[in-house]
Amino acid sequence: MGISENADSPLLCSREIKLMQYPKDDIQKEILKAAEKIFLENGFPKASMREIAQEAQVGLSNIYNYFKNKDDIFCTVVRPVISAFERMLHEHHGRYGADIMEMYSTEYLRYVIEEYMTLIQKHRKLLVLLFFHAQGSSLENFKENFTERSTSLVKEYFRDMKEKHPQMNINVTDFSIHLHTAWMFTMFEELIMHRVRTEDLEQIVTEYITFEVTGWRELMKI
């Protein structure tokens, strides 16, 4: 004789029990945690909502109570690293940008080096997703779009600095400014692809920042 699957059954679905026990925020965190794992394993195009639901141990239909679609989940997963890039851009060249003369101080360079290292160490997996697994998502062209915005913002920053420091040369091509951001992304990609050891990270980042600063100082005659 079979066992009836009713409300009193000891075989009540463990997944349903888990959903009843978890607060809403915790379920969302479980979905995001599961999605990160699936996206890292399969990439955005091959990852499925069903796989994410199974990994998170939630019902497939329940995911849509938290996220509109797979792209919404992906964007939410990588949001911390995108926010980090946005902060960097505005701190250095945007509305919160330091005076360009301060940017060549030892203290400022130390700050930038630590900022880059923290981003890599804290968000390595998210960088992998954003750089290598975003094809097919709305963030597929993130690097190109960010680089274009960065170029416009840096040009505006240079014009502001020229008013404060008339001796500056800001006759720098848009393409050179474009390369400045493109090289930053390339550095992050190479560090990830080559699995650079933590103990080597500081020297590499310091060399990169020193190379960049020396080049801009020469170009701008400051």
Side-chain angles (χ1 to χ4, degrees), residues 93-121:
H93 301 299
R95 57 187 179 276
Y96 306 122
D99 187 286
I100 197 163
M101 297 305 178
E102 296 177 17
M103 292 176 66
Y104 298 106
S105 67
T106 302
E107 294 78 10
Y108 185 85
L109 294 181
R110 185 69 245 169
Y111 171 78
V112 175
I113 291 166
E114 291 177 356
E115 184 179 42
Y116 275 44
M117 290 177 59
T118 298
L119 192 149
I120 297 168
Q121 293 171 327

Side-chain angles (χ1 to χ4, degrees), residues 182-193:
W183 285 335
M184 177 191 71
F185 285 133
T186 298
M187 181 198 67
F188 284 128
E189 289 176 342
E190 291 294 316
L191 288 172
I192 291 168
M193 286 192 297

Side-chain angles (χ1 to χ4, degrees), residues 26-40:
D26 288 346
I27 297 174
Q28 187 177 47
K29 289 177 183 177
E30 287 296 312
I31 294 171
L32 292 174
K33 180 180 177 181
E36 180 182 304
K37 181 176 183 292
I38 297 300
F39 287 137
L40 283 169

